[in-house]
């Protein structure tokens, strides 16, 4: 199916270069799954990508979680992701002032050179987005920032009155913003967020699992289909896939659910 038919207004309205790339990959691979690859060794990571690569649209990493990280090993991992047409998403949750965030895009991990998308908190003000984009610009690349508008963990302070609205308002105005992180575990709250975000930006949601309910240490999970029907454009799934008996089968199950829910949403 053509992306413009599947994504509707959102296909025309987006203003960040990575968004169309993502939407296109989703349609080619028929999946809205973003794999949260929270594993601790390079070997486990590449095995997992080999296994589930065909069923996911983007690879979300926490690069500082890896015990045996090396620059050359990481380059090979990025190459493997490229073979599977995956967007690289470093979930760094930057939060500092603009110039420091720009510097943190380099450093040992040199995130600016391989990530297409990164997460950031807006707690320090809207200039963080310009700082991160300047980081990409320093190596002649472009990327997109996902601002955390909601979180999936219980008791998070983004729920305090006014925070989410202020984040969305600031983010919508900046073309460096790819979209927002929404809470996949609370479909009703997600629908409200969708209404505020409109069609120019995407919403990706963690806190999604076929086993709905409370997870470890304050994590909360909601149903993947409900998340997409409530406005999620990408479901972030980690342990639901990599801790299962058969990650490949499970990734395909999440892919099928997310894709059919997107088609249902676009047909409504
Ligand atoms: O609010 C959030 C935001 C994020 S990005 N809650 C989250 O859980 N995340 C990330 O999503 C978290 O860092 C982890 O990598 C992933 C969820 O993993 P799971 O194993 O609970 O599915």
């Amino acid at each position: 199916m053509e992306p413009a038919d599947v994504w509707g207004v959102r296909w025309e309205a987006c203003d960040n270069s990575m968004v169309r790339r993502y939407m296109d990959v989703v349609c080619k691979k028929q999946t809205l799954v973003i794999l949260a690859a929270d594993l601790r060794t390079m070997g486990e990571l590449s095995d997992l990508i080999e296994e589930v690569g065909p069923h996911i649209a983007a690879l979300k990493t926490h690069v500082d979680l890896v015990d045996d990280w090396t620059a050359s090993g990481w380059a090979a991992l990025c190459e493997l992701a490229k073979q599977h047409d995956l967007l690289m998403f470093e979930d760094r949750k930057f939060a500092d002032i603009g110039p420091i965030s720009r510097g943190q895009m380099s450093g040992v991990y040199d995130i600016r050179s391989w990530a297409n998308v990164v997460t950031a908190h807006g707690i320090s003000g809207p200039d963080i987005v310009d700082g991160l984009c300047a980081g990409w610009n320093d190596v002649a690349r472009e990327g997109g920032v996902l601002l955390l508008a909601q979180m999936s963990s219980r008791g998070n302070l983004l729920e305090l009155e006014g925070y989410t609205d202020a984040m969305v308002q600031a983010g919508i105005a900046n073309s460096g913003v790819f979209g927002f992180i929404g809470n996949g575990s609370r479909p009703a709250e997600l629908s409200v967020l969708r209404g505020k975000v409109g069609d120019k930006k995407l919403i990706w949601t963690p806190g999604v699992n076929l086993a709905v309910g409370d997870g470890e240490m304050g994590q909360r999970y909601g149903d993947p289909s409900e998340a997409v029907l409530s406005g999620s454009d990408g479901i972030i799934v980690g342990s639901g896939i990599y801790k299962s008996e058969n990650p490949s089968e499970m990734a395909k199950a999440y892919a099928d659910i997310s894709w059919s829910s997107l088609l249902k949403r676009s047909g409504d």
Side-chain angles (χ1 to χ4, degrees):
M1 276 184 87
E2 290 303 310
D5 297 331
V6 175
W7 290 102
V9 192
R10 228 157 285 170
W11 176 255
E12 288 302 330
C14 60
D15 63 351
N16 176 270
S17 60
M18 285 303 137
V19 173
R20 276 203 174 179
R21 207 172 130 185
Y22 168 73
M23 288 178 163
D24 199 35
V25 171
V26 165
C27 293
K28 272 195 206 133
K29 299 179 78 175
Q30 307 202 337
T31 173
L32 284 83
V33 176
I34 292 119
L35 176 72
D38 297 332
L39 299 177
R40 304 286 298 271
T41 66
M42 304 284 296
E44 286 173 306
L45 279 170
S46 62
D47 287 351
L48 184 64
I49 298 169
E50 292 277 17
E51 235 180 310
V52 310
H55 309 303
I56 62 175
L59 181 71
K60 186 177 90 65
T61 54
H62 283 295
V63 68
D64 52 356
L65 206 74
V66 181
D67 292 327
D68 59 352
W69 189 91
T70 59
S72 58
W74 197 257
L77 203 85
C78 291
E79 186 48 43
L80 184 60
K82 201 168 156 197
Q83 285 166 21
H84 285 284
D85 222 352
L86 302 175
L87 244 72
M88 288 298 289
F89 168 22
E90 169 57 21
D91 185 11
R92 170 66 176 70
K93 297 188 180 72
F94 292 97
D96 215 313
I97 59 168
I100 299 301
S101 299
R102 178 186 195 166
Q104 287 171 324
M105 284 287 271
S106 55
V108 175
Y109 296 120
D110 204 26
I111 293 168
R112 62 189 180 170
S113 296
W114 50 267
N116 305 115
V117 187
V118 299
T119 40
H121 280 291
I123 190 79
S124 58
D127 294 281
I128 189 167
V129 177
D130 296 338
L132 294 169
C133 290
W136 272 306
N137 207 25
D138 290 338
V139 288
R141 294 183 78 236
E142 281 181 15
V145 178
L146 274 154
L147 290 169
L148 284 109
Q150 295 177 331
M151 290 197 76
S152 62
S153 44
R154 74 172 174 215
N156 75 78
L157 303 183
L158 279 62
E159 288 173 353
L160 293 181
E161 197 169 345
Y163 187 96
T164 299
D165 288 3
M167 195 70 279
V168 169
Q169 232 177 343
I172 282 179
N174 193 324
S175 65
V177 173
F178 177 96
F180 299 92
I181 293 291
N183 177 8
S185 76
R186 295 290 181 273
E189 291 166 27
L190 192 56
S191 291
V192 175
L193 179 66
R194 179 81 263 170
K196 288 173 181 162
V197 167
D199 285 312
K200 213 161 137 190
K201 305 291 183 188
L202 300 189
I203 300 177
W204 281 4
T205 53
V208 166
N209 200 301
L210 285 167
V212 170
D214 290 340
E216 251 183 294
M217 293 188 189
Q219 177 67 303
R220 299 174 294 185
Y221 291 114
D223 178 74
S225 173
E226 273 188 59
V228 175
L229 294 174
S230 307
S232 169
D233 301 307
I235 53 165
I236 297 174
V237 187
S239 44
I241 291 174
Y242 68 75
K243 278 194 182 163
S244 79
E245 295 269 295
N246 188 334
S248 168
E249 236 172 53
M250 199 49 100
K252 181 161 185 343
Y254 278 98
D256 291 348
I257 290 167
S258 63
W259 176 246
S260 61
S261 304
L262 180 65
L263 293 186
K264 184 163 186 256
R265 188 176 89 190
S266 63
D268 283 347

